[in-house]
Amino acid sequence: KREMTVAHLEESSMHVPLAQARKVAVLGAGIAGASVAFSLAWRGCHVTVFDQHSAPAQETSGNPVGIAYPKMTVDASPMGAFHQHAFSLARSLLVAIALPSWTPCGVEHLDIDDDESRRHAALAAQGYPQDYLLHARGRLAQPMAGHLSPPEFCHHLLACPGIETRYGVRVSSLDDVADYDAVVIALGTGAAGFAETGWLPLQTLRGQVSFLTPTAQSKTLDKVICHDGYITPAVSGLHYAGATFQKEPPGDMKVREADHAENIARLNAHIPEFGFGQESVAGGRVGYRVATPDRLPMVGACPDYPEVVEGGGACVVIPRLYLSTGFGAHGMTGAPLAGEMLAAGICGDVSPIPDSLAPYLAPERFILRDLKRKKI
């Protein structure tokens, strides 16, 4: 009839549904793996999670405290859109599962210089509700944000019925999981460790967090404060401050005194009234973030690199193989949305993100860019 609306679904790398996919292997029991396992199990899939460690969240997801807040961009951008969608879903999930450590205390970003002050003012001028974002007193506040325990989050997600965990098992070849209907590689530093994924343009960034004993002045801190680092309110008697960013290959897990000094120096440069010193250090932890060249994660069906290159850019994917990696410093908020995206794609559900955003997260985007720039 005249008023009829007609839509046409175009297949993309995110929409490669498997007929009644019910048996899925997830490689990695960090926040990326736990998130996709939870989303798949919630849809009725039988999920087996493999991890080389003896327990979940043993790498970067094992930091005692993580921060959940939406990364904002002044201009409309894929990065801003992804992180706002991601935060909304992550926060809803934290509330829905009643995670004990979730503390929506708010996150405040200091106006550390004039450029940052102007950027914060421009964000606030976009008309967001004040319980989501406001700019006042030299800082951008996000009242709905907060902090949580990443290991506890992983444990809760992996406790979902339908998930089996196999710890102490390293899957070195995809032939080891060939009998599954689908395989999701949700590894951080190990995501490029397979013959099918060796081309992934992943970068590793070493980060060290410092555990600080509260001072008389810092005991009143009740919000997360970000500058060119961050500090949390005291959690179980300690503040968590960090984190360093060093472009290094994964390997050195030793806590460095120089990195503690760097965290404290940055903290004192912006919040000197807390009075932290080297004597405040009560410990630390090292992890390796995995990022991509454009700082957006790779979420979707894994492309067949030789076939895409030989075909001049025609997207050919490896059947049954999916990726969730490259979250950088934002895995706590980004991974749950990625899990929903993959589970929807595998099970043939409606995607939780706009179709216009999907190409900016599709793993094949880097192959297509290199082909366009004649780098390959």
Side-chain angles (χ1 to χ4, degrees):
K1 60 183 180 180
R2 187 185 310 171
E3 297 83 7
M4 181 176 64
T5 299
V6 177
H8 174 68
L9 174 64
E10 294 183 359
E11 294 293 334
S12 70
S13 67
M14 267 310 302
H15 297 286
V16 189
L18 300 167
Q20 297 183 337
R22 288 294 179 264
K23 186 181 176 186
V24 183
V26 174
L27 312 186
I31 187 61
S35 293
V36 70
F38 176 86
S39 292
L40 286 164
W42 186 81
R43 287 170 170 80
C45 294
H46 301 289
V47 185
T48 304
V49 178
F50 297 87
D51 196 282
Q52 64 179 335
H53 299 289
S54 59
Q58 293 301 294
E59 298 193 12
T60 307
S61 298
N63 285 344
V65 176
I67 305 170
Y69 68 91
K71 181 179 176 65
M72 309 292 290
T73 59
V74 173
D75 298 323
S77 70
M79 180 173 289
F82 172 75
H83 285 292
Q84 289 190 59
H85 283 296
F87 173 74
S88 296
L89 186 142
R91 193 181 191 282
S92 296
L93 179 59
L94 290 165
V95 172
I97 67 173
L99 190 74
S101 63
W102 168 236
T103 307
C105 59
V107 173
E108 296 185 344
H109 305 260
L110 301 183
D111 293 352
I112 59 175
D113 55 34
D114 290 343
D115 287 342
E116 194 73 341
S117 178
R118 285 190 289 268
R119 192 179 80 86
H120 289 167
L123 284 169
Q126 293 179 1
Y128 292 101
Q130 290 205 345
D131 61 350
Y132 186 79
L133 182 151
L134 69 153
H135 185 224
R137 299 180 294 106
R139 59 192 65 196
L140 184 79
Q142 296 174 316
M144 297 176 68
H147 63 81
L148 66 144
S149 163
E152 182 187 63
F153 195 19
C154 291
H155 277 280
H156 269 62
L157 295 177
L158 292 170
C160 180
I163 298 176
E164 176 188 356
T165 53
R166 296 186 185 177
Y167 300 122
V169 177
R170 177 171 183 159
V171 177
S172 57
S173 168
L174 296 181
D175 291 339
D176 298 337
V177 287
D179 58 336
Y180 286 85
D181 296 321
V183 177
V184 179
I185 297 176
L187 298 164
T189 56
F194 300 90
E196 297 84 352
T197 60
W199 61 272
L200 294 177
L202 295 173
Q203 305 164 347
T204 55
L205 301 166
R206 185 184 188 276
Q208 180 171 312
V209 178
S210 300
F211 309 163
L212 304 178
T213 303
T215 65
Q217 296 81 4
S218 74
K219 288 180 179 178
T220 61
L221 180 63
D222 60 358
K223 293 177 176 59
V224 176
I225 297 181
C226 298
H227 38 92
D228 51 356
Y230 67 84
I231 182 170
T232 71
V235 179
S236 299
L238 291 173
H239 296 289
Y240 294 87
T244 58
F245 272 83
Q246 294 135 338
K247 292 183 179 180
E248 296 182 18
D252 182 11
M253 300 300 293
K254 293 182 180 179
V255 172
R256 301 171 183 170
E257 291 304 316
D259 288 2
H260 283 320
E262 179 182 335
N263 285 334
I264 291 173
R266 288 189 299 175
L267 186 58
N268 286 336
H270 299 290
I271 321 174
E273 61 269 24
F274 286 165
F276 288 110
Q278 285 297 116
E279 72 282 356
S280 305
V281 176
R285 191 176 189 278
V286 174
Y288 284 84
R289 316 171 189 89
V290 177
T292 67
D294 62 9
R295 296 300 184 262
L296 280 169
M298 288 188 279
V299 186
C302 182
D304 188 323
Y305 183 88
E307 291 289 337
V308 176
V309 173
E310 185 176 340
C315 186
V316 180
V317 300
I318 300 174
R320 308 181 303 107
L321 183 61
Y322 298 81
L323 300 173
S324 180
T325 189
F327 294 95
H330 296 279
M332 281 302 100
T333 48
L337 177 57
E340 277 293 294
M341 290 170 59
L342 287 176
I346 290 171
C347 297
D349 287 351
V350 176
S351 173
I353 64 167
D355 286 345
S356 59
L357 180 57
Y360 296 96
L361 305 172
E364 67 267 18
R365 68 187 187 271
F366 296 106
I367 309 176
L368 302 181
R369 289 174 192 177
D370 283 349
L371 283 170
K372 185 176 182 180
R373 297 167 183 171
K374 301 187 184 305
K375 291 185 177 181
I376 53 177

